Amino acid sequence: MSFAAYKMMHWPTGIENCAAGFISHSRADFTPQIPVIQTDDLESEWPARRGIGPIPNLIVTAGNVLEIYVVRVQEENSREARDSVEVKRGGVMDGVSGVSLELVCHYRLHGNVESMGVLSVGGGDSSRNRDSIILAFKDAKISVLEFDDSIHGLRTSSMHCFEGPEWLHLKRGRELFARGPLVKVDPQGRCGAVLVYDLQMIILKAAQAGSVLVGEDDAFGSGGSISARIELSYIISLRDLDMKHVKDFMFVHGYIEPVMVILHEREPTWAGRVSWKHHTCMISAFSISTTLKQHPLIWSAANLPHDAYKLVAVPSPIGGVLVICANTVLYQSQSTSCALALNSYAVSVDNSQELPRSSFSVELDAAHVTWLLNNVALLSTKTGELLLLTLIYDGRVVQRLDLSKSKASVLTSDITTLGNSLFFLGSRLGDSLLVQYTCGSGSSMLPSGLREEVGDIEGDEPSVKRLRRSPDALQDMISGDELSLYGSAPNNTESAQKTFSFAVRDSFVNVGPLKDFAYGMRINADPNATGIAKQSNYELVCCSGHGKNGSLCILRQSIRPDVITEVELPGCKGIWTVYHKSTRTAAADDEYHAYLIISLEARTMVLETADLLTEVTESVDYYVQGKTVAAGNLFGRRRVIQVFEHGARVLDGSFMTQDLNFASSESSSGSENSTVLSVSIADPYVLLRMTDGSIRLLVGDPSSCTLSINNPAVFEGPKKLVSACTLYHDKGPEPWLRKASTDAWLSTGIDESIDGADGGPHDQGDIYCVVCYESGALEIFDVPNFNCVFSVDKFVSGITHLVDSCVQESPKDSHKVINKSSEVIASQVKKENIPNMKVIELAMQRWSGNHSRPFLLGILTDGSILCYHAYLFESPDGTSKVEDPVLAQNSANLDSIPASRFRNLRFVRVPVDAHIREETSNETPCQRITVFKNISGYQGFFLSGSRPAWLMVFRERLRVHPQLCDGSIVAFTVLHNVNCNHGFIYVTSQGILKICQLPSASNYDNHWAVQKIPLKGTPHQVTYFAERNFYPLIVSFPVHKPVNQVLSSLVDQEAGHQIDNHGLSSDELHRNYSVDEFEVRILEPEKSGGSWETKATIPMQSSENALTVRVVMLLNTATKENETLLAIGTAYVQGEDVAARGRVLLYSVGRNTDNPQNLVSEVYSKELKGAISALASLQGHLLIAAGPKIILHRWTGTELSGIAFFDAPPLHAVSLNIVKNFILLGDVHKSIYFLSWKEQGAQLSLLAKDFGSLDCFSTEFLIDGSTLSLMVSDEQKNIQIFYYAPKISESWKGQKLLLRAEFHVGSHVTKFLRLQMLSTASDRTSAAPASDKTNRFALLFGTLDGSIGCVAPLDEITFRRLQSLQRKLVDAVPHVAGLNPRSFRQFRANGKAHKPGPDSIVDCELLCHYEMLPWEDQLEIANQVGTTRSQILSNLNDLTLGTSFL
């Protein structure tokens, strides 16, 4: 392996930062949620209850992923709430029955977001201004992003970089900094500040509205609203202000100029010096004058506790700051100060006066804070408890602080309030939650039924909802007991009691931090599968989470359906299920299907889908003499339509009511023999595409239930050959597309009155016909009049945004493209010798939901997929500016654009995983796209073909889940009947028909399908016991013990010391102290996919930590047989005064499962010096890393006896890997060692080592054919690949490992797993002989932020091709936030000396942008690289196929 590819397969899910801001809408856009019945006086309804008010967007970052969500609130009495059958999470609170988060846009950045702030322009609730996002990246890069409506995405408004040679003086010679850049923003949006290099403060001055920077163009670009911008930036050196150690800073409320308060430590102290040196912190407040660039000190406060670490600005009208310390909370303002002691460690400055104490004891280090009201703060502690801190104030004087307990929740990494009744708990360790809160004095404001409903947040939800819920949501937040806060109200004698109630409304699943994982068989695995289908037999079982959020995550990249029944059915071409009204009993949503129609090569079968599938082909009037092209329901499911090649039939149940024949109708082109190619049905229309490229529309008459044939004249003529078409039903009651044509005032909710004018019934909605021509253009027509309402010239090239061609967008660019394209493209098309690119299949669909927008899916001749998401953008004057004189004459008739044109409709391209790219076949294309509206409660598209996949829609986002287990799928349809509830049927290319359901335990709203099993403890390591399908797992959980018991366990028993009580009083000795206890659980997967069972537990002794568990194969020297045993390595943790010891334990796993007591039995245990941190079996022997030694043991059946050892100077072995007789050892500080074991001399010898210092996280061997490489990941989030080459002179005669490649991953890689790559050569006949490819392994890795990826070996010619493509893409792709992918992937040495290694890894995160480029650009870049587009795509495809391991 000289070359490799780095590929992400599952992106980070652990949320690190969250913030709230009006990004994609302004405060004024938030229409008050009023019941649908419009009344004249809008105010009449408001005083009845508290309004939700404008809700900002939620912005979250996880690793290098940035996502923006909009909060959708569902009112209790709205039409949508009445229609929805399912009960929403959390019951009804404040008149709101459901709140959900919907994705606006998401980006994968070339850099990890260190911190984030929101710059707001301010203004009242009627303000049209928008906020901007300030992102800070490692070292000192700052990007300011704003939302641009015209592209429905973010664009960079300014970038500020303070690194590189000219800013080197800012570091003052240091290389290592305590933290990355920290962003804070003035609450009124006048400036922002970023702390970089620990002591340099960068001030970002915001542009005032109406200044030069915000020109008319920009206001025009974002629909009249202006986003906040940064005008200039300058630096304040805090060192000049006599600060040495800055801990935090914050802008405070209520001053005319921005005022920054900085918390800093004058001279550091630490816990061991506190009795001599304490209260070392102080805060200083500076008034920042951005125009004069001056910053006078206006007030300060000294002698704050040494453990102060966070400042929180108190909102107006109180003002001032809260200083959060580990043991105290202080309030400071210019005039007053007060404090609250949280536990017995809190002391005042001179120990004289007693501090006011809280009613309970708590530690506040690592807490996160947000404001619920202007005097109530919500604190989330390190144990996941929510506390409420109330400021009791009079006027602007805070009299005292009051702390009270609330519910327990998830362990948070950040917390933010959204609007006035929601907050979001972002978590890296568990699932993130969106919670609604309400506050009342007494219970007058709460609906009477609320208390019970809050108790049922996780209780009896309908099954569909239960699947999507997170298992570790607020376990204790549901207890229903409301918390009380007593506080004196200002100017009020009797105490007003404040009660808060919470309801969890939504949650994001998180699989991080992945500490370890095992690769095991699924329950429903198919032992006979081969090739890529075999990969679907496996699943990844991961240790994730921490503490009470600890869980086992079962991840599956591909979906494997639960099969109900299967039958052989050779020669099938298509299947359809239809409803029939006469059998109808249930509600429309739950109606069972009546018939299943199966089209074979030369005939059609009809089956009745009652309790049993019975064939009724002979007794029905369906056309059964030839194959069927399509079937479906018309006229509100009262009739069935069946279309075959020469005609169609309308049936009422099994009786025919109308028979149409296409051949006899007078066709203008005179082609009598044209037959039907594809069909699209949208009640009451049927659209047919004929073999001669013409289009027919069957128009239904609902009153008589009959059809008539219509040949639209629009498509006559040679230029209008249609390559694909579909009908789109824009369902009512408020059809979405109507907003695209009329002006905005019509779409705000008054369209109710206008709808009636159309004469059609309200809820029918509108029907449109989407057509693609052979030329690659796309047009949308309304039906049945066929007026063109939207057209795009080059749909087929896959541009990022589709705009109606009559609204000319930025004409300069388009001219340039056209001129360039004509001759260049022509030459390249010749070179690629590809047939004419055209769209062969289209689908457009919008699913139910108040705010859902349609998706448009197109499949091209080469198998690539274009996916677009519609959005509305209203250009202020209805046209763009005409800048090019050539277009001036067009501008005259811009006013004459018919009002029916969808000039506000645009589409943005959505990336779809490369997984689906199908190898092009020469057969006639079959229909690949099937739309489903309810399969187990999910909705989306199913793609059949040689690479089947599910595209499910969650939160307006497509989630792609491949389905590999059956190979190619020729036909698919939904089925809902007695035995198969909301299931589906598909036919494989082998001719097997399967009736299935989706596995119910998985959550599909994730990059991979995930099932979480809560453990209520921290999982540390897991391994797979293949013979019995068990997963042994190390779990630790806290246990409370009295202090004297803990102290006695820390004494060295052998030395026989007496316990000294360290001067503790007797009641302190009996106080409880929390200690982690360890155990090894043996879990077995459940057959039905339910929760997993603990088959046995192996407890550890007190103060003994289990460090490693492995399944080892040992050769019993007495019986000469191999034994498979479970080996556990432990360490006693007893403090620094006791010598380290550890135990090695061997367990055998019994055969009989009836008696769980005898499932595991200990066969051997032995105590060794040093912690036993890693174990492995080496050719039948057991290799143990015990402290600084590595010892190889022989197993006699009763005894382990050492036969060889190696005394390297490793401090603590992190990992051991073995291939044949080679050993790779990773050390916690000393990098890696490469050893070999020789049987004849019985010796372990060091072959080579890496002489640098490296803090290893994980190691593994990488095998490519006959080359062996050594992979290591470190705590700077890098990976390196070394190799052993004793013949090369640089290796110092083989002592030194040489570097083959290095790469910055951007997350801590905790585990590598070596898996054999699939051979992709079998798909192609012309490929080179695959002998060298067979022994090729890739490494799958998991990281602490929840991402999973792989490093796979490449052959040189592929690597060179992709590397030159990668260099082109650095410049060809516009990168979000202006980040450079090359600098992100540089090895981070963090100030240590490091010689740069070879650049031998290509970054697929950058290469995946290639497919998202327009087709012409793809051809041009491929030409510049010296290859072809098809060659590049097939290389990327092979890599994806070769590494689809799950």
Side-chain angles (χ1 to χ4, degrees):
M1 192 276 356
S2 305
F3 307 102
Y6 159 87
K7 181 174 170 51
M8 285 304 279
M9 304 159 94
H10 183 288
W11 287 271
T13 55
I15 291 177
E16 285 149 17
N17 303 299
C18 59
F22 289 90
I23 307 296
S24 69
H25 56 271
S26 62
R27 290 168 179 79
D29 297 342
F30 200 92
T31 45
Q33 306 259 336
I34 300 171
V36 180
I37 309 97
Q38 293 285 340
T39 53
D40 288 35
D41 48 344
L42 302 178
E43 288 74 35
S44 61
E45 212 256 337
W46 278 115
R49 64 163 191 266
R50 166 185 184 214
I52 293 286
I55 302 185
N57 292 95
L58 171 68
I59 310 137
V60 297
T61 70
N64 65 333
V65 176
L66 170 72
E67 297 181 327
I68 298 181
Y69 290 89
V70 62
V71 180
R72 297 293 187 202
V73 175
Q74 187 175 309
E75 297 281 309
E76 182 186 4
N77 51 6
S78 68
R79 176 187 296 167
E80 182 189 359
R82 289 198 300 272
D83 293 349
S84 72
V85 190
E86 7 174 39
V87 182
K88 292 283 195 283
R89 263 170 90 157
V92 177
M93 176 191 280
D94 259 350
V96 172
S97 60
V99 183
S100 59
L101 290 163
E102 183 184 291
L103 187 76
V104 179
C105 55
H106 72 116
Y107 296 99
R108 305 206 288 267
L109 311 174
H110 297 292
N112 287 0
V113 179
E114 291 291 319
S115 88
M116 170 169 69
V118 170
L119 181 73
S120 71
V121 190
D125 274 1
S126 60
S127 157
R128 294 211 56 82
N129 295 332
R130 306 240 186 128
D131 304 342
S132 295
I133 306 171
I134 303 178
L135 299 177
F137 301 92
K138 250 287 175 355
D139 285 357
K141 296 185 199 62
I142 303 151
S143 289
V144 186
L145 302 172
E146 61 183 49
F147 191 80
D148 184 354
D149 284 319
S150 60
I151 58 168
H152 199 73
L154 295 175
R155 68 169 179 203
T156 312
S157 68
S158 64
M159 302 191 297
H160 313 263
C161 181
F162 295 90
E163 28 183 289
E166 67 273 33
W167 296 105
L168 212 54
H169 62 278
L170 295 181
K171 293 189 177 186
R172 304 196 64 93
R174 291 172 57 197
E175 286 291 342
L176 198 59
F177 299 98
R179 64 163 109 207
L182 181 65
V183 179
K184 295 287 160 78
V185 183
D186 175 44
Q188 292 175 33
R190 293 164 295 194
C191 69
V194 187
L195 179 68
V196 298
Y197 304 131
D198 290 353
L199 277 174
Q200 306 288 342
M201 185 69 75
I202 297 168
I203 303 289
L204 305 170
K205 181 187 177 199
Q208 298 304 312
S211 74
V212 190
L213 268 171
V214 186
E216 293 87 65
D217 316 349
D218 308 321
F220 150 83
S222 55
S225 61
I226 298 171
S227 298
R229 299 275 174 91
I230 296 297
E231 188 178 309
L232 58 96
S233 54
Y234 65 95
I235 297 178
I236 302 175
S237 170
L238 300 182
R239 203 184 178 86
D240 304 345
L241 301 174
D242 203 25
M243 294 187 195
K244 297 192 187 69
H245 309 277
V246 176
K247 292 186 154 192
D248 196 14
F249 73 100
M250 182 58 77
F251 286 95
V252 291
H253 294 257
Y255 285 87
I256 297 170
E257 293 255 293
V259 170
M260 177 195 289
V261 180
I262 301 179
L263 170 68
H264 56 108
E265 197 167 18
R266 285 168 305 179
E267 35 190 298
T269 180
W270 64 290
R273 293 266 310 160
V274 170
S275 47
W276 293 275
K277 197 174 179 183
H278 50 87
H279 290 77
T280 53
C281 291
M282 67 178 288
I283 56 176
S284 312
F286 297 91
S287 174
I288 308 287
S289 167
T290 49
T291 44
L292 302 172
K293 299 194 181 179
Q294 290 176 349
H295 37 273
L297 175 72
I298 52 175
W299 57 272
S300 66
N303 292 339
L304 303 182
H306 75 282
D307 53 11
Y309 67 95
K310 194 188 203 75
L311 292 176
V312 184
V314 181
S316 309
I318 306 173
V321 290
L322 283 177
V323 185
I324 312 281
C325 318
N327 308 310
T328 43
V329 175
L330 301 105
Y331 169 80
Q332 287 281 353
S333 73
Q334 197 160 350
S335 50
T336 57
S337 69
C338 57
L340 181 69
L342 304 171
N343 53 41
S344 56
Y345 299 110
V347 285
S348 60
V349 182
D350 46 4
N351 283 341
S352 58
Q353 85 250 42
E354 186 66 24
L355 290 174
R357 296 204 171 273
S358 69
S359 55
F360 55 95
S361 179
V362 67
E363 290 167 15
L364 267 196
D365 45 329
H368 295 278
V369 190
T370 190
W371 292 92
L372 299 188
L373 303 174
N374 63 2
N375 68 330
V376 180
L378 179 77
L379 290 90
S380 166
T381 68
K382 60 182 176 183
T383 56
E385 276 187 293
L386 296 180
L387 308 177
L388 289 153
L389 179 71
T390 311
L391 282 63
I392 288 112
Y393 68 102
D394 189 356
R396 288 188 67 166
V397 179
V398 174
Q399 292 152 346
R400 60 192 172 90
L401 306 173
D402 186 22
L403 192 68
S404 62
K405 281 194 174 178
S406 178
K407 308 292 171 60
S409 166
V410 65
L411 301 168
T412 56
S413 58
D414 202 357
I415 177 171
T416 184
T417 310
L418 295 161
N420 62 8
S421 52
L422 295 162
F423 61 87
F424 179 77
L425 301 167
S427 174
R428 238 183 95 94
L429 302 172
D431 291 353
S432 302
L433 306 169
L434 177 70
V435 183
Q436 186 185 353
Y437 67 92
T438 184
C439 149
S441 39
S443 54
S444 60
M445 283 187 58
L446 303 179
S448 54
L450 181 69
R451 188 167 301 208
E452 295 74 45
E453 290 184 36
V454 174
D456 291 342
I457 288 173
E458 311 235 80
D460 39 15
E461 298 162 323
S463 57
V464 174
K465 274 299 190 190
R466 197 162 61 244
L467 315 177
R468 304 186 185 166
R469 161 192 104 194
S470 62
D472 59 315
L474 300 139
Q475 297 131 352
D476 327 68
M477 219 189 212
I478 57 177
S479 50
D481 56 324
E482 297 183 347
L483 76 135
S484 303
L485 275 170
Y486 292 94
S488 64
N491 319 330
N492 203 345
T493 48
E494 75 270 13
S495 70
Q497 178 191 359
K498 284 205 177 119
T499 55
F500 279 76
S501 311
F502 298 105
V504 184
R505 291 301 194 183
D506 205 348
S507 61
F508 291 148
V509 71
N510 170 24
V511 299
L514 297 173
K515 299 195 184 75
D516 188 31
F517 56 77
Y519 185 70
M521 294 292 269
R522 298 191 194 183
I523 281 296
N524 56 1
D526 168 20
N528 307 324
T530 55
I532 193 164
K534 187 178 177 186
Q535 300 307 314
S536 220
N537 286 343
Y538 298 100
E539 61 194 7
L540 213 54
V541 177
C542 312
C543 296
S544 81
H546 180 85
K548 64 179 182 186
N549 298 132
S551 64
L552 209 57
C553 283
I554 294 93
L555 288 165
R556 305 176 176 101
Q557 190 180 2
S558 60
I559 289 183
R560 188 179 191 88
D562 294 334
V563 180
I564 297 175
T565 175
E566 55 179 89
V567 287
E568 286 213 18
L569 188 73
C572 174
K573 288 284 174 236
I575 47 177
W576 300 269
T577 43
V578 291
Y579 298 100
H580 174 48
K581 276 279 196 197
S582 66
T583 56
R584 146 163 214 190
T585 49
D589 292 346
D590 220 39
E591 186 181 340
Y592 287 155
H593 286 104
Y595 293 102
L596 167 67
I597 299 158
I598 301 176
S599 167
L600 304 172
E601 298 276 355
R603 64 190 187 94
T604 293
M605 287 167 64
V606 182
L607 284 78
E608 204 167 35
T609 58
D611 299 355
L612 301 166
L613 289 179
T614 46
E615 186 170 348
V616 290
T617 313
E618 303 307 318
S619 60
V620 291
D621 288 346
Y622 283 86
Y623 171 80
V624 294
Q625 291 79 24
K627 65 179 185 189
T628 302
V629 182
N633 283 91
L634 285 182
F635 311 122
R637 299 186 181 170
R638 285 177 299 176
R639 294 286 185 274
V640 176
I641 167 96
Q642 181 197 15
V643 181
F644 41 97
E645 286 189 329
H646 298 287
R649 287 188 182 181
V650 182
L651 300 106
D652 182 359
S654 55
F655 305 109
M656 181 166 73
T657 58
Q658 188 186 5
D659 194 355
L660 292 165
N661 190 353
F662 303 142
S664 60
S665 69
E666 311 306 316
S667 143
S668 55
S669 54
S671 54
E672 309 292 48
N673 53 358
S674 79
T675 56
V676 179
L677 257 185
S678 71
V679 179
S680 174
I681 302 173
D683 190 6
Y685 301 103
V686 182
L687 185 72
L688 313 172
R689 182 166 73 85
M690 315 303 275
T691 41
D692 60 1
S694 66
I695 275 188
R696 308 259 172 98
L697 181 73
L698 307 184
V699 184
D701 176 4
S703 54
S704 66
C705 292
T706 54
L707 293 175
S708 54
I709 302 178
N710 173 359
N711 290 344
V714 189
F715 305 111
E716 309 284 320
K719 286 228 172 116
K720 298 281 191 178
L721 286 176
V722 174
S723 68
C725 59
T726 183
L727 287 178
Y728 164 60
H729 189 175
D730 200 24
K731 289 206 174 56
E734 292 167 12
W736 189 83
L737 276 178
R738 286 193 201 172
K739 304 174 191 167
S741 59
T742 50
D743 293 323
W745 61 272
L746 291 180
S747 63
T748 50
I750 311 178
D751 39 355
E752 301 290 325
S753 54
I754 294 172
D755 281 3
D758 299 354
H762 270 335
D763 288 1
Q764 280 320 102
D766 309 322
I767 294 182
Y768 299 93
C769 168
V770 189
V771 171
C772 263
Y773 298 108
E774 300 270 349
S775 63
L778 171 129
E779 293 192 345
I780 302 181
F781 298 91
D782 61 355
V783 176
N785 309 326
F786 281 96
N787 298 324
C788 179
V789 289
F790 185 85
S791 63
V792 179
D793 291 339
K794 291 295 284 180
F795 172 74
V796 73
S797 65
I799 43 184
T800 49
H801 292 88
L802 305 181
V803 184
D804 187 5
S805 58
C806 76
V807 180
Q808 281 292 343
E809 264 291 285
S810 53
K812 287 182 180 166
D813 302 351
S814 56
H815 272 277
K816 188 178 69 196
V817 173
I818 292 165
N819 298 340
K820 175 189 75 179
S821 57
S822 46
E823 60 266 12
V824 179
I825 305 286
S827 64
Q828 275 162 265
V829 171
K830 284 197 199 83
K831 183 169 139 195
E832 298 242 1
N833 64 43
I834 42 179
N836 185 15
M837 274 286 253
K838 58 183 188 195
V839 179
I840 52 173
E841 192 174 350
L842 270 177
M844 185 167 170
Q845 178 69 23
R846 171 177 160 250
W847 287 271
S848 58
N850 215 359
H851 299 279
S852 63
R853 315 194 306 276
F855 282 95
L856 175 65
L857 208 61
I859 301 184
L860 305 185
T861 35
D862 69 339
S864 49
I865 286 185
L866 301 179
C867 177
Y868 286 90
H869 201 177
Y871 66 97
L872 295 177
F873 168 66
E874 198 180 331
S875 46
D877 45 359
T879 64
S880 288
K881 299 193 169 171
V882 178
E883 296 168 5
D884 201 298
V886 183
L887 285 156
Q889 69 263 25
N890 297 1
S891 66
N893 45 19
L894 277 175
D895 302 332
S896 59
I897 299 172
S900 61
R901 288 294 290 216
F902 288 156
R903 64 170 81 142
N904 298 340
L905 173 65
R906 302 197 173 186
F907 290 89
V908 60
R909 184 154 171 212
V910 190
V912 174
D913 267 359
H915 234 292
I916 310 161
R917 254 189 88 75
E918 181 164 348
E919 308 300 312
T920 46
S921 57
N922 304 329
E923 316 152 15
T924 53
C926 65
Q927 283 250 308
R928 282 192 66 193
I929 307 174
T930 312
V931 176
F932 59 90
K933 295 191 177 65
N934 183 355
I935 294 185
S936 307
Y938 302 108
Q939 51 196 24
F941 300 106
F942 181 82
L943 292 175
S944 48
S946 63
R947 304 260 172 269
W950 297 79
L951 277 67
M952 297 184 182
V953 180
F954 295 95
R955 311 179 191 282
E956 289 299 286
R957 165 189 205 152
L958 277 186
R959 295 286 197 184
V960 181
H961 298 292
Q963 179 175 320
L964 312 170
C965 54
D966 295 292
S968 178
I969 290 180
V970 291
F972 175 95
T973 188
V974 292
L975 173 67
H976 177 48
N977 74 357
V978 183
N979 303 321
C980 177
N981 193 4
H982 292 298
F984 52 96
I985 309 181
Y986 61 87
V987 182
T988 67
S989 54
Q990 280 81 39
I992 295 168
L993 177 140
K994 297 192 176 190
I995 302 180
C996 308
Q997 281 177 305
L998 275 179
S1000 57
S1002 293
N1003 180 346
Y1004 298 100
D1005 184 14
N1006 189 34
H1007 306 288
W1008 292 359
V1010 57
Q1011 178 186 353
K1012 283 188 97 161
I1013 292 142
L1015 296 170
K1016 301 281 190 275
T1018 307
H1020 294 275
Q1021 210 175 45
V1022 64
T1023 184
Y1024 180 55
F1025 195 86
E1027 292 177 18
R1028 300 286 309 283
N1029 205 21
F1030 286 153
Y1031 291 93
L1033 167 77
I1034 300 177
V1035 183
S1036 70
F1037 45 92
V1039 175
H1040 294 286
K1041 290 185 173 179
V1043 172
N1044 54 6
Q1045 216 175 321
V1046 177
L1047 286 174
S1048 64
S1049 72
L1050 297 182
V1051 173
D1052 194 347
Q1053 270 78 23
E1054 295 160 21
H1057 284 305
Q1058 201 52 42
I1059 301 181
D1060 60 341
N1061 283 340
H1062 304 287
L1064 295 176
S1065 62
S1066 63
D1067 61 330
E1068 281 176 319
L1069 283 176
H1070 289 101
R1071 195 180 286 163
N1072 275 352
Y1073 184 78
S1074 145
V1075 191
D1076 274 353
E1077 299 251 314
F1078 281 75
E1079 66 184 22
V1080 175
R1081 294 185 195 168
I1082 297 189
L1083 292 158
E1084 183 181 35
E1086 256 314 285
K1087 292 285 178 281
S1088 61
S1091 67
W1092 289 28
E1093 267 184 50
T1094 304
K1095 285 291 182 190
T1097 43
I1098 306 170
M1100 299 293 124
Q1101 298 172 4
S1102 96
S1103 75
E1104 180 182 30
N1105 289 12
L1107 297 183
T1108 179
V1109 57
R1110 289 288 175 249
V1111 175
V1112 292
M1113 170 110 33
L1114 301 182
L1115 177 69
N1116 185 334
T1117 51
T1119 63
K1120 298 279 184 269
E1121 284 177 358
N1122 282 329
E1123 295 181 17
T1124 306
L1125 300 172
L1126 188 65
I1128 302 170
T1130 72
Y1132 289 98
V1133 179
Q1134 294 173 309
E1136 56 192 15
D1137 303 330
V1138 183
R1141 299 173 297 133
R1143 286 196 304 162
V1144 57
L1145 309 167
L1146 293 179
Y1147 283 82
S1148 72
V1149 178
R1151 286 277 163 265
N1152 59 331
T1153 46
D1154 331 326
N1155 190 353
Q1157 258 50 50
N1158 311 345
L1159 180 65
V1160 288
S1161 50
E1162 184 178 314
V1163 290
Y1164 181 71
S1165 85
K1166 175 184 185 178
E1167 194 168 289
L1168 297 168
K1169 283 183 183 165
I1172 296 175
S1173 53
L1175 299 162
S1177 55
L1178 171 62
Q1179 297 183 338
H1181 304 306
L1182 183 63
L1183 187 63
I1184 298 175
K1189 266 196 175 63
I1190 301 164
I1191 314 169
L1192 190 67
H1193 290 80
R1194 179 193 292 123
W1195 172 238
T1196 63
T1198 54
E1199 187 67 41
L1200 279 177
S1201 51
I1203 50 171
F1205 72 93
F1206 172 67
D1207 255 353
L1211 309 166
H1212 175 88
V1214 177
S1215 61
L1216 277 176
N1217 308 99
I1218 289 175
V1219 165
K1220 294 184 177 168
N1221 62 331
F1222 295 113
I1223 303 160
L1224 170 60
L1225 167 82
D1227 182 75
V1228 70
H1229 283 310
K1230 295 283 181 194
S1231 198
I1232 55 173
Y1233 293 78
F1234 184 43
L1235 313 167
S1236 77
W1237 153 247
K1238 293 195 179 64
E1239 189 81 57
Q1240 47 280 59
Q1243 62 181 18
L1244 285 171
S1245 53
L1246 177 69
L1247 295 176
K1249 66 176 186 173
D1250 171 27
F1251 281 81
S1253 69
L1254 193 70
D1255 299 356
C1256 299
F1257 262 41
S1258 176
T1259 58
E1260 185 54 274
F1261 286 105
L1262 186 58
I1263 300 173
D1264 179 19
S1266 55
T1267 43
L1268 186 69
S1269 309
L1270 297 83
M1271 174 77 96
V1272 57
S1273 68
D1274 62 47
E1275 60 86 38
Q1276 286 300 315
K1277 307 184 180 181
N1278 305 305
I1279 52 175
Q1280 285 170 284
I1281 304 177
F1282 290 93
Y1283 66 109
Y1284 174 59
K1287 295 196 171 73
I1288 296 180
S1289 58
E1290 287 96 75
S1291 71
W1292 305 348
K1293 295 187 178 170
Q1295 294 178 61
K1296 182 181 175 185
L1297 290 170
L1298 299 177
L1299 191 59
R1300 183 164 270 163
E1302 60 184 16
F1303 192 81
H1304 183 70
V1305 175
S1307 343
H1308 288 117
V1309 176
T1310 51
K1311 162 89 178 200
F1312 288 110
L1313 177 72
R1314 191 174 66 244
L1315 295 171
Q1316 184 152 7
M1317 287 179 73
L1318 297 162
S1319 129
T1320 49
S1322 57
D1323 297 345
R1324 290 190 199 81
T1325 47
S1326 61
S1331 55
D1332 56 333
K1333 307 271 180 71
T1334 49
N1335 194 26
R1336 181 170 264 193
F1337 289 81
L1339 296 184
L1340 193 71
F1341 63 79
T1343 72
L1344 286 184
D1345 54 19
S1347 54
I1348 298 169
C1350 72
V1351 176
L1354 287 179
D1355 45 75
E1356 181 165 3
I1357 183 164
T1358 311
F1359 170 77
R1360 297 277 176 234
R1361 183 181 298 130
L1362 294 179
Q1363 190 187 38
S1364 39
L1365 171 65
Q1366 177 178 313
R1367 288 178 181 148
K1368 278 271 176 272
L1369 288 177
V1370 171
D1371 302 325
V1373 176
H1375 302 295
V1376 185
L1379 294 164
N1380 187 335
R1382 281 184 59 194
S1383 76
F1384 179 43
R1385 296 308 182 185
Q1386 291 290 318
F1387 184 88
R1388 302 277 163 96
N1390 210 5
K1392 296 181 184 148
H1394 176 79
K1395 182 181 160 204
D1399 181 17
S1400 308
I1401 298 187
V1402 289
D1403 177 14
C1404 290
E1405 278 291 89
L1406 179 55
L1407 295 175
C1408 70
H1409 286 284
Y1410 181 71
E1411 281 190 82
M1412 288 296 291
L1413 290 171
W1415 187 61
E1416 292 81 6
D1417 296 2
Q1418 290 185 29
L1419 292 178
E1420 190 180 342
I1421 288 177
N1423 193 29
Q1424 290 170 354
V1425 170
T1427 176
T1428 61
R1429 171 180 181 269
S1430 47
Q1431 181 68 61
I1432 290 171
L1433 291 180
S1434 93
N1435 285 153
L1436 293 174
N1437 217 17
D1438 285 356
L1439 189 63
T1440 305
L1441 284 177
T1443 56
S1444 31
F1445 297 120
L1446 297 159

